[in-house]
Amino acid sequence: MPLHVEGLLAIVVFYLLILFVGIWAAWKNKNSGVGGGSDQSESIMVGGRDIGLFVGGFTMTATWVGGGYINGTAEYVYLPSYGLAWAQAPFGYALSLVVGGLFFAKPMRSRGYVTMLDPFQQLYGERMGGLLFIPALMGEIFWSAAILSALGATLSVIVDININMSVMISALIAIFYTLVGGLYSVAYTDVVQLFCIFIGLWISVPFALANPAVSDIGVTAVRKVFQTPWLGKIEPADGWMWADNFCLLMLGGIPWQVYFQRVLSASSASYAQVLSFLAAFGSLSPITLLHLSHSYTNHTLAPITLLHQSHSYTSHTLTPITLLLQSHSYTNHTLTPVTLLHQSHSYSNHTLTPITLLH
């Protein structure tokens, strides 16, 4: 696959912007007089407890809206056996933020805790607090791995960078600005990232829907065209599984340190509650609409041949491929049949996310 120069430049500019904002936030925090002496650890962990509504709303939304959330939602909307009916993340995580705001945000913030484990440690002792730290740590590790994996898959599609290298570079940048500025750097870089996600997705939606390879959304919602209808359905035998997954998202989305770190960094208990509600609204992004285009796209009409010279076609890469394809002009090479790709690559459904973006 030839190097996508525009995509590479965009990634470099984005990384430099993130790094600059992270360092600037650390400098701003240092020169604000907060974080010296005994308050240093609290400044790093909860940003001095002076995060306002604007920055707080963005960083709270970024708690869930990331690479794993976006690519995972795309994959479930596309998969023929699931569809929109099984894309539960946007609504499940939004409700988890609402429940957290209603029942936990105010009490936790008003009592001045630093982590979500503080009340358990005060009530049950340090040993129990240390024991509860283990599942919390494992959850954060696996969640971070999912985000980095999604980012690596996206970069490997758009700029043809080795996925391991892209994960390492991204992790090093994030670790650097976090060590320098703590939550302040994380919060302000979240603002930049969510602006890019929100604006980028809304710009992508009309191009994805207007693509000549994409069929009418109203028709493919109820009738099989290229695959089963994208609305999906819940079989009676799967009803309990659907409910269990939804409860897992709604209730399991609450006991996370990243969520309570934002709650505890709010400038007041009332703000902590409001931030949860703002993030719930922000979690319902246009990502689901964008990824409906995967399920009613005729992939034989899209210029995916170049992509498949070096990439497998899997569902977890659907999103970056859809975006990348929007950047190509529809010349005669867009009529190249996908069967040519099969001479050297398998055409499996787990590669569909990045290919749709490339269309």
Side-chain angles (χ1 to χ4, degrees):
M1 174 181 172
L3 181 65
H4 193 274
V5 179
E6 295 86 350
L8 179 60
L9 290 176
I11 293 297
V12 171
V13 171
F14 175 75
Y15 274 153
L16 291 177
L17 178 61
I18 290 296
L19 190 58
F20 170 78
V21 172
I23 295 175
W24 171 81
W27 174 84
K28 178 178 180 295
N29 180 36
K30 181 179 179 180
N31 287 272
S32 65
V34 179
S38 59
D39 294 330
Q40 184 176 6
S41 61
E42 185 171 305
S43 175
I44 294 175
M45 291 290 293
V46 292
R49 302 189 192 276
D50 65 348
I51 301 295
L53 284 179
F54 179 77
V55 175
F58 276 94
T59 189
M60 182 75 83
T61 303
T63 302
W64 294 125
V65 181
Y69 170 97
I70 292 175
N71 283 13
T73 301
E75 184 171 356
Y76 264 76
V77 172
Y78 165 77
L79 291 176
S81 58
Y82 293 95
L84 184 62
W86 287 87
Q88 299 171 301
F91 303 100
Y93 284 138
L95 286 178
S96 76
L97 290 165
V98 172
V99 174
L102 287 174
F103 299 104
F104 299 102
K106 269 191 174 182
M108 292 288 288
R109 177 60 184 89
S110 60
R111 294 172 186 174
Y113 294 129
V114 179
T115 72
M116 72 170 183
L117 297 179
D118 287 355
F120 297 98
Q121 184 167 313
Q122 290 181 7
L123 187 60
Y124 300 109
E126 294 183 356
R127 289 187 178 180
M128 181 57 67
L131 182 62
L132 293 175
F133 170 76
I134 297 176
L137 175 64
M138 298 303 294
E140 298 291 351
I141 290 176
F142 292 137
W143 181 249
S144 299
I147 294 174
L148 290 174
S149 176
L151 179 59
T154 300
L155 292 182
S156 66
V157 167
I158 295 178
V159 296
D160 198 25
I161 296 178
N162 179 270
I163 185 171
N164 296 326
M165 181 62 66
S166 63
V167 167
M168 291 176 62
I169 294 174
S170 304
L172 288 175
I173 292 176
I175 290 172
F176 176 75
Y177 68 69
T178 302
L179 288 176
V180 172
L183 181 63
Y184 258 106
S185 294
V186 174
Y188 279 94
T189 54
D190 283 342
V191 174
V192 177
Q193 293 170 25
L194 277 185
F195 261 119
C196 294
I197 291 174
F198 187 80
I199 295 175
L201 287 178
W202 276 116
I203 291 176
S204 300
V205 165
F207 287 97
L209 297 182
N211 191 294
V214 177
S215 300
D216 187 352
I217 181 176
V219 174
T220 55
V222 294
R223 192 176 68 186
K224 181 178 180 179
V225 180
F226 305 117
Q227 62 180 47
T228 55
W230 56 260
L231 282 179
K233 61 180 179 179
I234 305 171
E235 300 290 348
D238 298 328
W240 286 108
M241 180 183 294
W242 188 95
D244 182 63
N245 290 342
F246 191 82
C247 289
L248 176 64
L249 293 171
M250 182 177 64
L251 302 178
I254 298 174
W256 287 81
Q257 171 60 21
V258 289
Y259 166 67
F260 282 103
Q261 186 178 36
R262 273 69 175 176
V263 166
L264 298 172
S265 68
S267 55
S268 68
S270 298
Y271 272 19
Q273 189 175 47
V274 173
L275 290 179
S276 298
F277 299 149
L278 289 176
F281 176 77
S283 297
L284 300 175
S285 67
I287 185 65
T288 302
L289 180 61
L290 173 65
H291 296 310
L292 292 179
S293 64
H294 302 313
S295 58
Y296 50 89
T297 298
N298 183 356
H299 297 287
T300 64
L301 298 180
I304 62 176
T305 305
L306 295 177
L307 181 67
H308 285 300
Q309 292 175 4
S310 60
H311 292 281
S312 59
Y313 192 49
T314 59
S315 63
H316 69 275
T317 52
L318 283 171
T319 300
I321 289 185
T322 303
L323 295 175
L324 186 57
L325 286 175
Q326 293 172 17
S327 65
H328 292 276
S329 59
Y330 294 106
T331 56
N332 289 337
H333 72 274
T334 61
L335 300 179
T336 302
V338 74
T339 52
L340 295 178
L341 301 176
H342 291 195
Q343 297 174 2
S344 58
H345 292 279
S346 60
Y347 191 54
S348 56
N349 62 12
H350 69 282
T351 55
L352 291 174
T353 299
I355 290 187
T356 307
L357 291 176
L358 185 60
H359 284 306

